[in-house]
Structure formats: C-alpha cells, structure tokens
Amino acid sequence: MTTAPNRAARLARWCVRSAFAPLRWPRLALMGGLILVTAVCAWWHTAGLHRAAGTPLTLWQATDYAYAPFLYLVPQGLLAQVDTLTLPQAIARLTGPLIPLISLFWLMRQRLLLWLARWLARHRARGHSLVIGADASADALARNTSMAGAVVVLVDPSLDAEDDDRWAMLAASGVIGMAPEDALARHAGALAVWQPSEADNIAEAIRLRASPVALDVAEINLRVESAALQHAMLQSPDLMLGARQRLRPHALGAAAIRAALAGPGLAERALAQRQSRVTLCLWGMSDALVWAAEIALRQFWSARLGAPRILWVGSPDAVTLPEPLLGLTCHAAAAYGAGADAPAAQMISPEAAIADTQVTCHLVDYGEADETVAQAFVLAAALRQAHSAVPPVQAILDTARAITPLFDTAALAFLPPITPGVGITLEALCQREADRAAAEIHLAYDREFGGGGTVPASGRWQDLPETYIAANRAAADHRAIKLWDAATSGLAGEALVEALAEAEHKRWCAERLLAGWAPAGDGPRDNDRRLHPDLRPWAELDETAREKDRAAVAFACAGARDRVSRT
C-alpha cells in the first residue's frame, strides 16, 4: 500500500462492521430475558383471571395464553390506574414495550453507523483501498483485503440497498459499500478496477487516469485475465505508462500457475524419469492453460535437459494454437538453428497424449469445475492403466478450496489443484516484495549494460515498459533452476558458467519470442517492429551478447550466496 489509512478511514471500517455485527450473547440474553419475563408475567396474570372467574379452562380459552404476551408490546392502560395493576401486569407493562423499542433502536443505530461510515469514506478518509467492481465481481477481493486489515471501499452499481444478504456479508468483513463517485478515488492509498469485463477495466482505468480529480495513487491495478489481451497491452507501452498513473494488469490465473510451476520440481521429475526434456500436456482450452504453456516454455531450461515441449490435446483441424505459441514455433529455427533442439508446441490427439511416455505432467482445465474434475479423474485412471511410471495430473479449478480433498488419494497420481485467486488481496497485488528479485536483476543489468539510460531496457524500475518488467520476472523465476543446475550438474568453474549461460540465452530467446519479438537476422535492433539481432543460436552470438548471459548467471549465483550469508 502506498499510504496507511488515517483515523477517519479506520473509524469508517469500525462503523460498518459494528452496523452488521452478528448478535452476540449480551444482545441475545437481553432480548431473550425481556421476552421471557414479559411472557411469564402475561401468563401469570391470565392464569389469575381464569382462577378468579372460576370457569373451567377450555381449548378456546387456552388461546388467551398464546395471545396474552402480545398485549404488552405496546403501553397498556393509563398511569392513573397503576394502583389497580397486579404485580405481573406491572412488570409486563414495563418489559413488553422495551422489546420493539430496543429493536427499533438497533435498526436506527445500524442506519446511522452506515451513514457515518459512508460520510467518512467520502469526505475524511485517506489511505484506504478503493475497489471498483460490477455485478459482485470484486466482492471476494474486497472481503479478503478487508479481512487482512485494510480499510476497503467497494464501488459497485449493482449493490442494491435491498440486498440484505450481500450487505451483511460485505459489512461483516468491514467493506464499505458506496455508489460510484470519482471523488472517492482522490485520496485512496491503493486502487483496483475489478469488473467482469476486461475491456471495461481498461477503459475505466484510462478514464480515472484522465479524470480531472487528482489521484494520490501512483498505480491503477486492473484485472486482465485474457492472455491475448495481456499480450496486446504489452505491445502498447504508452497505454501502460501514463504521465500520472501507471496501469498494472493482473491475471490471477497466471500468478497461480506461475507459483505452481516455480522451481525445479518438474525438471527433477523429468531427469528421474529419464526424459530428455520437460513436457507439459494440456487438456482443455482456457486462458489458464495458455499461461501454463507460456510459463513452461519460459521456465524449464536447464543445462542438462533439452528445450521444453508443449502438447495440446485436441483436433489439429479444429483447434489452433494461441498466437504467442505460433510465433515461437515460427521463429524457432532462426533463433535456435535449423535442426537444433528448440522449444516446441503442437496439437496431439487424446490417445497419443495418454500413450506418450515422455510427458512430465498433465494439466487439466475445461473451464467449469465439474467437467474439469471429471476429466481429471478419467485421465488419471487411463494413465494408471497405460504406464508403470504414471505422470501426475494437475487440475486448475476456479472454485473454493473445499473441493481439493478429492485429489488427496494414493490410488491415482495427482498433484494439488491450482486454484487461481483464492485468498487474493489488494495488498498482495500491490506488494513490491514479490518483484524484489526481478528489480535486482534489472538493476544489475542496468549498471553493467544500461549505457547510462540509453538502452531501451534500462532506466528506473518503476519507469520500465511492462514487457521488460515481464522479462525480468521470468529471469527471476528461472533463478531457482540455475541454482539447481549449479548444485547438481557436476560442472564447475568456466564449464559451469558457459553451460548455464547457453541455457540462459535459450531461455531468453523463448521469453522474447513469446513476447512478440522476432529475429532481426543481420539487421539492427528495431524496438518499434520488435526485431532483435540477438535472437540467434548461441554459437552465432558475439562475445558482447554472450557476456550478458554470463553476467546474468554470475549474478543469480552470487545473489543466492549473498542471501545465504545474510541469513
């Protein structure tokens, strides 16, 4: 968060939580006591009347006992007649009216606290988190952020005043619901646009950035799950880097898959199964699988393994690979050499995918949780029959964690499901600590090869175009595999550095090709056309370009040693 919430913001959060706080035992005991005392006294007085009349109790007269407590919910009789009241009548006449009066007081208190919370959020709050949603799209993000301790204002036109259940759910978490108003964003400490439509998110973020209301935030976070739209935004640095606020797109699916595939786990499995490379087999057709394919092609480069491979299950005639994968395969020969071991992505039939012994892991995502779960179990059962060393199956589920125990079975080979967005908070989205390693890599590059800010990928981290930020994040993710290679490859000295540098160059080529760049051949670098002369095989690189890869390897290993010594 850029600033801490002030006292008024924290008071607004307390007001809205108090307004919808669940009934605790003192309130329940008070209301229960009043109702019990009133009912007992009413029945006591009614029984006395029946005894005085000397009439036998019939079923019809027994209804007097059911109706008697309701006589005292409003004041009964005149004050001048108080001396004629029996003791139970006197008690019931005092306690009965308190029941509706206290209920009315609690209702008025709730309305007053809600009004005060909104007034404070509109006029006095500073440093709060503002989340803009539509049709409840941002409710989970707002609740999670508030429960983490932040002051959250949710702007959602669909938040109907009569939707008591939704109000109670949000307010119990401390979320302050508001009608749309640009002034709410003026003093926000963090801002997220989290509507269902990604195009609407971009449009709203651009509108806020161009609004005459000066915003305190330096960044506007927005939800963009579509891989194609993310790539389009990376191609438009002017859109992302504004003079007033930077737009930061977030894809929860990409973040969850990036975390799940991080580290050398699958590379270790490939070596253990005597596979020549990491091969990821994808079942379904979703943006999450597109992210998985791209992350795998960027990530699984090792000095001891060949280029990563993606198998996409489907009909080659009916399904086309996503554009970034087509671009990579199209330029692979120029970047890696004709006939060389190059990253690959191809369509494959279900039968061939099940029979392939070189698959390291199967990822399943059919969009809906029910179908994904069913297909994951069918696939796992088929793989158990087809292989002695069964490759694991991992499902991607946009659902609650309660379904994950289904996959906790020893009978079938499952990895824990990937659940994008579960528990995500705005603070986590804004957290700079997650980018610390990427920023350190950029700083090291900038010091040695930045040319005093003249190189396109140089300059301050906060001013970098999004495409170079993504490139540094990919380099930071790969650091764990470099360290694993260094520790287990058996190489040392210059031989180790050279092997890791060549693997780093191949990884960098894959990352740039997936980002939309193409080989420049013998021509110069062209940033507008995204042509790069270093997108060529390692053997054809000049020493200046190779030195960048060697420096990246040296920094990754030295940075790890520094962190160990500091701890």
Side-chain angles (χ1 to χ4, degrees):
M1 300 294 181
T2 54
T3 57
N6 65 353
R7 184 176 299 176
R10 294 194 298 271
L11 178 59
R13 182 174 184 269
W14 178 87
C15 287
V16 77
R17 292 193 71 179
S18 298
F20 282 91
L23 290 177
R24 302 186 185 278
W25 72 265
R27 289 190 184 184
L28 293 173
L30 176 60
M31 289 297 292
L34 289 174
I35 293 172
L36 181 61
V37 169
T38 303
V40 168
C41 289
W43 294 332
W44 183 5
H45 177 68
T46 303
L49 292 178
H50 280 274
R51 283 196 304 270
T55 56
L57 184 63
T58 64
L59 181 61
W60 178 254
Q61 289 172 334
T63 58
D64 290 344
Y65 287 91
Y67 185 70
F70 294 98
L71 294 175
Y72 297 96
L73 293 180
V74 294
Q76 297 293 314
L78 301 174
L79 291 177
Q81 298 174 335
V82 69
D83 56 339
T84 65
L85 297 177
T86 63
L87 177 62
Q89 274 186 297
I91 296 174
R93 195 176 74 156
L94 292 175
T95 59
L98 289 178
I99 297 173
L101 284 176
I102 292 177
S103 300
L104 182 61
F105 166 77
W106 283 339
L107 178 62
M108 295 301 295
R109 174 183 175 275
Q110 182 187 74
R111 301 304 180 194
L112 179 62
L113 287 174
L114 283 177
W115 175 86
L116 179 59
R118 290 170 180 162
W119 185 87
L120 288 170
R122 184 177 291 108
H123 298 291
R124 293 289 183 267
R126 303 288 187 274
H128 55 282
S129 301
L130 181 66
V131 181
I132 300 174
D135 300 324
S137 62
D139 285 11
L141 176 65
R143 291 200 314 272
N144 293 336
T145 304
S146 180
M147 288 188 290
V151 178
V152 180
V153 176
L154 173 64
V155 173
D156 190 336
S158 69
L159 193 56
D160 194 335
E162 297 181 358
D163 193 351
D164 293 336
D165 292 339
R166 188 177 169 200
W167 267 110
M169 181 175 58
L170 291 171
S173 304
V175 178
I176 307 166
M178 301 286 289
E181 185 178 336
D182 283 356
L184 291 170
R186 182 194 302 272
H187 299 297
L191 176 57
V193 184
W194 222 253
Q195 301 173 116
S197 168
E198 298 168 4
D200 288 346
N201 287 340
I202 298 173
E204 178 67 13
I206 294 173
R207 188 190 69 79
L208 285 171
R209 188 167 65 182
S211 170
V213 176
L215 306 182
D216 290 346
V217 295
E219 298 175 340
I220 300 177
N221 301 278
L222 60 152
R223 174 181 168 270
V224 181
E225 288 290 345
S226 166
L229 193 52
Q230 279 269 21
H231 281 291
M233 296 179 72
L234 293 181
Q235 304 284 345
S236 307
D238 294 341
L239 172 68
M240 308 301 293
L241 291 171
R244 299 169 64 179
Q245 282 82 32
R246 180 189 188 120
L247 304 188
R248 288 192 70 191
H250 297 278
L252 300 184
I257 292 166
R258 179 184 169 197
L261 299 183
L266 288 182
E268 290 176 342
R269 176 176 175 79
L271 279 178
Q273 298 299 322
R274 301 183 182 276
Q275 296 171 350
S276 60
R277 64 177 76 191
V278 173
T279 298
L280 208 60
C281 188
L282 310 179
W283 297 73
M285 184 58 69
S286 66
D287 281 308
L289 292 179
V290 176
W291 289 120
E294 293 191 30
I295 291 169
L297 291 169
R298 289 185 175 102
Q299 177 80 358
F300 295 115
W301 292 90
S302 165
R304 288 177 290 166
L305 290 171
R309 180 176 63 141
I310 298 297
L311 301 179
W312 210 310
V313 177
S315 170
D317 298 329
V319 181
T320 303
L321 288 172
E323 183 62 34
L325 304 189
L326 291 176
L328 182 141
T329 54
C330 176
H331 298 296
Y336 295 92
D341 181 30
Q346 65 186 80
M347 303 301 299
I348 190 172
S349 68
E351 295 78 15
I354 292 173
D356 196 322
T357 60
Q358 296 299 305
V359 173
T360 312
C361 181
H362 293 266
L363 279 184
V364 182
D365 183 10
Y366 284 88
E368 295 182 357
D370 291 344
E371 186 176 2
T372 299
V373 171
Q375 293 296 333
F377 273 83
V378 169
L379 173 61
L383 292 171
R384 181 179 57 184
Q385 291 182 334
H387 302 279
S388 56
V390 183
V393 176
Q394 192 166 29
I396 303 173
L397 300 171
D398 284 331
T399 186
R401 294 177 181 172
I403 202 172
T404 58
L406 284 173
F407 299 91
D408 188 13
T409 173
L412 300 173
F414 285 118
L415 291 177
I418 302 172
T419 53
V422 173
I424 192 69
T425 66
L426 182 52
E427 184 173 9
L429 295 177
C430 299
Q431 180 58 259
R432 292 295 187 164
E433 192 65 27
D435 277 339
R436 179 180 294 275
E440 289 175 351
I441 290 173
H442 167 70
L443 182 61
Y445 170 87
D446 194 34
R447 281 197 301 259
E448 192 163 352
F449 304 106
T454 58
V455 176
S458 63
R460 298 193 311 163
W461 173 258
Q462 55 266 39
D463 296 331
L464 275 184
E466 200 70 23
T467 182
Y468 298 124
I469 287 182
N472 283 292
R473 285 174 180 156
D477 290 344
H478 192 257
R479 177 179 280 176
I481 293 184
K482 289 186 176 73
L483 297 175
W484 171 72
D485 261 342
T488 61
S489 64
L491 299 174
E494 292 184 4
L496 173 63
V497 171
E498 203 68 11
L500 293 182
E502 183 174 353
E504 165 62 16
H505 174 68
K506 292 177 179 178
R507 182 207 64 80
W508 175 84
C509 286
E511 193 283 324
R512 290 290 81 189
L513 292 175
L514 288 169
W517 289 72
D522 295 329
R525 173 170 176 164
D526 190 329
N527 294 319
D528 293 333
R529 297 172 61 195
R530 296 191 167 233
L531 302 177
H532 205 299
D534 290 344
L535 287 170
R536 62 177 68 232
W538 173 259
E540 299 179 14
L541 282 180
D542 57 33
E543 281 302 310
T544 302
R546 291 186 182 186
E547 196 57 38
K548 294 179 182 179
D549 296 311
R550 296 185 186 114
V553 169
F555 177 77
C557 297
R561 287 195 296 270
D562 290 345
R563 285 193 298 276
V564 171
S565 64
R566 284 197 297 269
T567 56

